[in-house]
Amino acid sequence: MGKVEDERAFFSEAWIEPPRESQKKADAAEKPHYHGHRDRLRGRFIAGGPDALPDYELLELLLFRLIPRVDTKPIAKALIARFGSLAEVLGAPPSLLEEVKGIGPTVATDLKVVAATAQRMARGEVRGREVLSNWTQLLDYCRSAMAFENREQFRILFLDKKNGLIADEVQQTGTVDHTPVYPREVVKRALELSASAVILVHNHPSGDPTPSRADIEMTKQIIDTAKPLGIAVHDHIIIGRKGNASMKGLLLI
């Protein structure tokens, strides 16, 4: 009998009572509701790629890593509502990003790092290649680099004899609606880089890429200064949030 009693005592001690319904509910309450949502969202991204997700959900995926223990869906939606699109969120200045609830200085900086990485990738797609045959990639790069700046920038793409990209430089940064441009400085820099041609690019922070009269006159001055020195001006592209405009395509030069 002693052995039987010992065995009973052993099994009674080893027995673990199943969790009651109240305990199950308590455990479920402790687990954040967004955990399953994150897994489902990742699954949709893996199965369908980025095109399977709208902007706010792609941004939400990114914020998972930047804000690990918070429901990022409301934050992602607030960012899109404030700035309009994922591209505009990444292009926004850190000070404006921080005005959105849930975005602090660290997250704002991390978003700008993502934006800079995307721009570097886009630049890699065009650098050293014949840019005139990769026009869509060129426009994508210029748009990622300039479309959401809050001040005008005047950028020059310097090309070699085969129209490969030698250098990409921001020559001037101006105000919200004006950038001073000096044709002699443009040509001087092209000669320093042994460039055979240039593509001029600047942005309109207003969002409307329509060339102004001043834009057209300035472009013609650069063409007149560069031509005698054997430097061609292939185009002047204006980048805006609502699209882009090519002066050559508009038959303005």
Side-chain angles (χ1 to χ4, degrees):
M1 289 294 294
K3 183 177 181 181
V4 173
E5 289 176 354
D6 288 344
E7 288 177 348
R8 287 175 179 173
F10 171 81
F11 285 113
S12 66
E13 291 174 358
W15 170 254
I16 299 175
E17 184 178 357
R20 298 182 179 181
E21 192 63 30
S22 59
Q23 183 62 44
K24 290 181 180 179
K25 291 181 179 179
D27 291 343
E30 290 178 2
K31 186 176 181 180
H33 70 279
Y34 53 80
H35 276 201
H37 171 67
R38 290 186 172 193
D39 291 338
R40 289 190 296 272
L41 204 55
R42 289 190 186 99
R44 286 173 52 203
F45 177 82
I46 293 170
D51 291 340
L53 304 178
D55 276 6
Y56 84 88
E57 287 187 333
L58 199 57
L59 180 56
E60 193 182 348
L61 272 177
L62 175 60
L63 292 175
F64 287 171
R65 298 293 183 183
L66 306 184
I67 316 175
R69 289 179 293 277
V70 173
D71 182 4
T72 59
K73 185 175 183 178
I75 301 173
K77 285 191 170 184
L79 285 166
I80 297 297
R82 170 69 184 275
F83 298 105
S85 69
L86 177 58
E88 288 175 292
V89 170
L90 295 178
S95 59
L96 295 184
L97 290 171
E98 291 176 37
E99 292 179 3
V100 176
K101 185 178 180 180
I103 301 296
T106 300
V107 176
T109 299
D110 287 342
L111 288 172
K112 298 310 296 182
V113 171
V114 172
T117 302
Q119 290 175 17
R120 191 70 59 86
M121 290 177 63
R123 182 189 300 175
E125 291 294 321
V126 297
R127 189 172 184 84
R129 299 187 182 185
E130 205 279 297
V131 298
L132 298 184
S133 63
N134 294 279
W135 198 250
T136 300
Q137 290 180 339
L138 178 66
L139 292 177
D140 287 344
Y141 165 62
C142 292
R143 180 172 172 78
S144 70
M146 303 178 70
F148 306 108
E149 292 289 333
N150 56 11
R151 294 191 296 169
E152 279 199 8
Q153 288 184 351
F154 183 72
R155 182 180 297 264
I156 308 172
L157 308 179
F158 298 95
L159 312 179
D160 60 22
K161 291 181 180 180
K162 295 182 179 180
N163 289 320
L165 184 64
I166 299 173
D168 160 28
E169 297 179 355
V170 175
Q171 191 182 64
Q172 296 287 341
T173 298
T175 65
V176 69
D177 60 0
H178 175 70
T179 306
V181 178
Y182 307 100
R184 289 184 180 179
E185 292 299 317
V186 174
V187 175
K188 177 184 176 182
R189 186 57 177 154
L191 292 171
E192 290 173 348
L193 293 171
S194 299
S196 298
V198 297
I199 296 175
L200 312 175
V201 190
H202 85 277
N203 63 310
H204 280 178
S206 67
D208 182 2
T210 303
S212 67
R213 183 175 297 276
D215 292 336
I216 298 168
E217 292 177 354
M218 176 265 291
T219 305
K220 290 181 177 179
Q221 289 176 9
I222 294 175
I223 292 172
D224 291 342
T225 305
K227 187 174 181 180
L229 298 172
I231 300 170
V233 178
H234 286 323
D235 204 344
H236 186 168
I237 303 167
I238 301 176
I239 303 292
R241 297 183 185 184
K242 300 176 183 178
N244 55 76
S246 160
M247 286 197 186
K248 185 174 183 180
L250 295 171
L251 304 179
L252 297 174
I253 58 173

